Amino acid sequence: MIEGIIFDLNGTLIDIRTDEGYEEIYRSIAHFLTYYGLDLRRWQVRDAYFEIMDRQRNKLGEKFPEFDVLSVWEEFLRQHLGKALSPARRKQLSRFISEMYRGISRFRLQLYPEVSAVLAELRPRFKLAAVSDAQSLWAAAEMKAVGIDGLFDPVVISSDFGFRKPDRRLFEAALDGLSLSPEKVLFVGNDMYRDVYGAQLCGMKAVFFLSNQGKTSMEGVEPEYTIYNFGELRQAIEFFENRGRGPEASSPGLCFDGIVSK
């Protein structure tokens, strides 16, 4: 019996496109920082950002390390402005730059078709949670912007932990928050490695959403069900619920709308 569903966010619920190589990001930040007495070229801002990020990841000692964007910009400001900024002002300014960075680098932010309708149908029936490789600062604002904030409890974001999927600890944190065992939970994601493989490591069954993002194959990994548009999640859930009612309801190769599920 399925009692909970955990969703990935970007690429599964949210159709987002960003480009961190976009030169305008670093030009804008460099120009902004002239008001604090810094004279940096865009490439200097860019290289320093990624250098600090890489150093932060390496220091964590994790197999799948995740950086924290606020800490990256705080360190950048500490290196370049030192005592010219108080710790409180440095923290405030790092948040502003982080938000500016994301806003300039983002070119698309919207829900995939039918996400709102499907989630509205699922909320009365299941406990819902989210697990995402993301920055909390950005994820909270983007979930609110597309209208899905407040729908999930818990929301597990990799930047709060220092590691990314497929690290099973992220999935386990969501299961703990739901107070459910893995066999009672489905995971829905768009990446065969980070989502499907990671969820299956924890004993969850995985629904793979073949969206416009994510790794679509991995040797030795197969999802229990594949959907090609988000609305087909309804049929996926029906499949798992029927399978749990007995062998006569879960014959191999059962099809819904032309989809063959294992």
Side-chain angles (χ1 to χ4, degrees):
M1 175 67 70
I2 302 301
E3 297 183 20
I5 305 174
I6 304 175
F7 294 92
D8 170 56
L9 292 175
N10 295 336
T12 300
L13 302 178
I14 302 174
D15 183 7
I16 187 170
R17 184 172 76 84
T18 62
D19 181 2
E20 294 194 348
Y22 184 43
E23 288 297 315
E24 186 65 21
I25 306 167
Y26 310 100
R27 186 194 70 82
S28 298
I29 293 173
H31 284 193
F32 170 73
L33 289 172
T34 61
Y35 291 95
Y36 291 84
L38 286 181
D39 182 20
L40 299 174
R41 306 280 76 80
R42 69 181 73 179
W43 61 266
Q44 291 176 301
V45 174
R46 180 197 63 213
D47 290 355
Y49 173 77
F50 284 107
E51 180 184 344
I52 295 168
M53 180 195 299
D54 289 343
R55 190 162 62 246
Q56 187 184 104
R57 283 172 167 161
N58 291 335
K59 188 176 180 180
L60 289 169
E62 295 285 348
K63 185 176 182 181
F64 308 107
E66 179 64 283
F67 75 102
D68 174 67
V69 68
L70 287 169
S71 297
V72 170
W73 285 113
E74 279 195 61
E75 176 62 17
F76 177 95
L77 294 172
R78 189 193 65 76
Q79 288 181 8
H80 289 87
L81 290 173
K83 295 181 180 180
L85 294 176
S86 68
R89 181 58 176 149
R90 187 164 61 239
K91 184 178 291 291
Q92 181 185 48
L93 192 56
S94 68
R95 182 182 182 92
F96 178 81
I97 295 174
S98 298
E99 291 172 337
M100 182 198 307
Y101 184 101
R102 184 66 162 185
I104 298 171
S105 68
R106 199 184 69 213
F107 293 89
R108 182 173 64 247
L109 179 69
Q110 62 191 20
L111 294 177
Y112 287 99
E114 295 195 75
V115 166
S116 290
V118 171
L119 292 179
E121 295 169 18
L122 297 180
R123 280 199 78 199
R125 299 172 53 198
F126 303 100
K127 294 181 176 182
L128 305 183
V131 174
S132 182
D133 288 340
Q135 298 294 311
S136 288
L137 176 66
W138 300 340
E142 288 163 2
M143 291 174 72
K144 184 174 183 178
V146 297
I148 60 171
D149 57 315
L151 300 184
F152 311 98
D153 185 19
V155 177
V156 177
I157 304 295
S158 58
S159 69
D160 294 334
F161 290 79
F163 45 82
R164 297 165 60 89
K165 295 179 292 184
D167 194 304
R168 62 183 297 156
R169 290 173 290 178
L170 293 174
F171 300 93
E172 289 168 348
L175 290 170
D176 289 344
L178 291 172
S179 298
L180 292 173
S181 57
E183 64 271 12
K184 294 182 179 180
V185 180
L186 292 181
F187 190 90
V188 184
N190 69 297
D191 191 284
M192 195 67 73
Y193 179 50
R194 294 189 295 164
D195 294 327
V196 174
Y197 173 68
Q200 290 175 341
L201 282 177
C202 292
M204 284 185 281
K205 292 179 175 58
V207 176
F208 176 59
F209 176 26
L210 188 61
S211 71
N212 58 345
Q213 301 179 38
K215 184 178 178 66
T216 60
S217 64
M218 179 182 174
E219 185 176 355
V221 177
E222 292 289 340
E224 282 76 19
Y225 202 104
T226 297
I227 61 176
Y228 300 90
N229 64 72
F230 197 83
E232 291 170 352
L233 183 57
R234 299 180 179 98
Q235 286 74 42
I237 293 169
E238 181 183 351
F239 167 75
F240 288 108
E241 289 186 323
N242 286 340
R243 189 167 68 173
R245 294 188 184 111
E248 68 281 355
S250 58
S251 57
L254 188 63
C255 297
F256 293 98
D257 296 337
I259 301 171
V260 178
S261 298
K262 296 185 178 181

